[in-house]
Amino acid sequence: MAANDWSDRELDAVERPERPIPSGRISPRAAFGVAAGLTAAGVALAGLAGGRRALAVAVPLAGAVWAYDLKLKNTPAGPAAMATCRALDVLLGASGGRLRSAAFPAATVFAHTYTVTALSRAEVHGATPALPAATLAGSAAVAVAAALPSRPFGWRSLVPLALSGWYARRYGEAQLQALEKPVAGNIRSAVGAGIVNLPTLQGALTARAGAPIAGMAVAAAAPLGRHLAKRLSPT
């Protein structure tokens, strides 16, 4: 986020002067220092925790983050670049085990992130109804994918189904509002809903993998995120 604000500081001075750097609360040099320092610390900690396997994912992840912020954000490749960051984030968490088993959740998070990022490109000036219609279809497909059972049907399969439904309802309602009236405020609300409900999707994927209790614990972060979003914009 610090790198994002640093790279957007000139545009934010015009479009969103209340942001930390244009408002003067944070200097550009301090933001860059925080971004660079946290990047280096993150890669180093990944290497210490997971060795070469983790570094093989952490280094491309760090590169993808900076490439998005510095170059790709406002290009047609922007949504895919951000989605790649989130997918690599999932793979980094799995780097100590079987990466192949993490391919499905990484792809699902990629698709979700693509919808959120595509919406975010219109959160200042609004959009046509075609954009929220497309992202709504995409998030519906994401919810269905996360709900599909990976094991014989039983009570455990009901948890990812319920969490996927929760994700679809929370994120979908905001997108429906944007579809009905695609003004900037409704687009921003849909983006915020996509961000704060990512833990719900992650919880569904965790439960689908065979850990329903852990999945519910992960999903419990979503209500907290919605509460915090009332105090600080998630975008």
Side-chain angles (χ1 to χ4, degrees):
M1 292 304 296
N4 178 72
D5 277 15
W6 180 80
S7 64
D8 279 354
R9 62 193 184 280
E10 295 180 358
L11 180 63
D12 284 346
V14 176
E15 294 185 345
R16 290 185 281 187
E18 74 279 1
R19 296 297 287 265
I21 294 177
S23 68
R25 301 196 306 276
I26 302 292
S27 71
R29 178 177 295 183
F32 182 83
V34 168
L38 288 177
T39 301
V43 172
L45 287 172
L48 289 172
R52 291 182 179 180
R53 284 172 58 89
L55 284 175
V57 183
V59 172
L61 171 56
V65 170
W66 281 91
Y68 172 80
D69 284 333
L70 298 180
K71 187 69 176 177
L72 299 177
K73 180 189 307 182
N74 296 316
T75 72
M82 173 55 76
T84 298
C85 294
R86 292 299 188 190
L88 287 172
D89 195 31
V90 174
L91 294 179
L92 178 59
S95 60
R98 293 178 297 173
L99 278 175
R100 183 176 297 180
S101 66
F104 178 81
T108 306
V109 170
F110 178 99
H112 164 78
T113 306
Y114 193 101
T115 68
V116 177
T117 310
L119 280 170
S120 72
R121 294 159 72 88
E123 64 181 0
V124 174
H125 301 295
T128 65
L131 177 60
T135 62
L136 182 61
S139 59
V142 166
V144 170
L148 290 175
S150 59
R151 288 171 171 75
F153 186 81
W155 76 267
R156 289 175 177 269
S157 63
L158 295 178
V159 177
L161 181 62
L163 293 179
S164 296
W166 182 13
Y167 158 82
R169 179 175 178 269
R170 287 291 186 177
Y171 187 24
E173 285 179 345
Q175 291 177 93
L176 281 173
Q177 290 180 353
L179 176 60
E180 293 173 2
K181 192 175 182 180
V183 297
N186 286 343
I187 296 290
R188 281 196 298 273
S189 295
V191 173
I195 292 172
V196 301
N197 283 291
L198 176 57
T200 312
L201 175 62
Q202 292 170 314
L205 292 168
T206 302
R208 183 180 181 276
I213 303 303
M216 289 187 287
V218 171
L224 175 62
R226 286 195 295 273
H227 176 72
L228 293 175
K230 297 176 182 179
R231 298 176 176 268
L232 180 68
S233 171
T235 64

